[in-house]
């Protein structure tokens, strides 16, 4: 009985380590995509975000770069970015909320990264300038 309990505990622990690992990899991929964005623009950013995922080179997904162009028209060039939150969704998927800080204001990126056969790549991403539309209330007000 003790062996079964120990195996169960180790199984739960290893699942959490694997899930955390996918979020670590996804956060690094997001950070690398931001560096590409700073140097090469929104289309290059979206290509980098989608790299290794099932939507790599999908023209509809790449059109998300238009949303970044609209944000830049009002907020100016991107200056910095960071990951605000990660949440493992199973052992191979990580939900990320990132902040993109432009010269004149912030925007938020929401992405789901998935660890597949090619590596970690986004399966979805969208942008929002209003934090209250995507961030949990406890994140905004304490």
């Amino acid at each position: 009985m003790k062996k079964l309990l120990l195996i169960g505990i180790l199984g739960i622990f290893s699942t959490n380590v694997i899930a955390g690992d996918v979020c670590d990899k996804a956060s690094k991929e997001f950070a690398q995509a931001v560096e590409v964005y700073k140097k090469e623009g929104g289309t290059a950013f979206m290509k980098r975000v989608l790299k290794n995922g099932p939507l790599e080179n999908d023209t509809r997904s790449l059109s998300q770069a238009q949303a970044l162009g609209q944000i830049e028209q009002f907020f100016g060039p991107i200056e910095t970015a960071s990951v605000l939150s990660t949440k493992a969704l199973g052992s191979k998927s990580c939900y990320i909320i990132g902040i993109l800080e432009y010269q004149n204001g912030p925007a938020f990126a929401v992405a789901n990264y998935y660890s597949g056969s090619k590596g970690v790549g986004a399966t979805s991403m969208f942008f929002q300038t209003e934090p209250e539309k995507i961030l949990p209330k406890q994140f905004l007000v304490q």
Side-chain angles (χ1 to χ4, degrees):
M1 184 67 162
K2 289 180 182 178
K3 286 183 182 179
L4 285 176
L5 181 60
L6 181 60
I7 291 170
I9 290 171
L10 289 175
I12 290 169
F13 179 73
S14 66
T15 301
N16 288 338
V17 170
I18 292 169
D21 190 43
V22 73
C23 284
D24 290 342
K25 289 178 182 176
S27 294
K28 288 176 185 171
E29 288 293 323
F30 181 79
Q32 290 172 356
V34 168
E35 290 307 311
V36 168
Y37 183 21
K38 289 177 183 178
K39 293 176 185 168
E40 301 176 36
T43 300
F45 171 74
M46 285 307 301
K47 284 182 181 179
R48 184 65 176 90
V49 165
L50 298 172
K51 182 181 176 189
N52 298 328
L55 301 174
E56 187 172 7
N57 299 319
D58 177 64
T59 54
R60 287 181 295 162
S61 298
L62 291 173
S63 70
Q64 287 279 348
Q66 292 174 353
L68 291 174
Q70 291 172 337
I71 292 168
E72 289 172 357
Q73 284 179 352
F74 293 102
F75 291 174
I78 187 162
E79 293 183 341
T80 187
S82 58
V83 173
L84 293 175
S85 164
T86 63
K87 174 71 174 165
L89 305 175
S91 62
K92 298 178 87 175
S93 186
C94 183
Y95 187 79
I96 287 181
I97 298 175
I99 184 168
L100 303 171
E101 295 177 300
Y102 295 86
Q103 185 176 36
N104 299 315
F108 302 89
V110 179
N112 188 55
Y113 278 85
Y114 187 77
S115 181
S117 60
K118 293 182 182 179
V120 176
T123 59
S124 65
M125 179 172 269
F126 70 91
F127 305 98
Q128 182 61 251
T129 57
E130 301 170 54
E132 62 275 6
K133 290 197 176 183
I134 60 163
L135 297 177
K137 287 183 177 52
Q138 65 269 24
F139 205 89
L140 298 171
V141 181
Q142 292 186 8

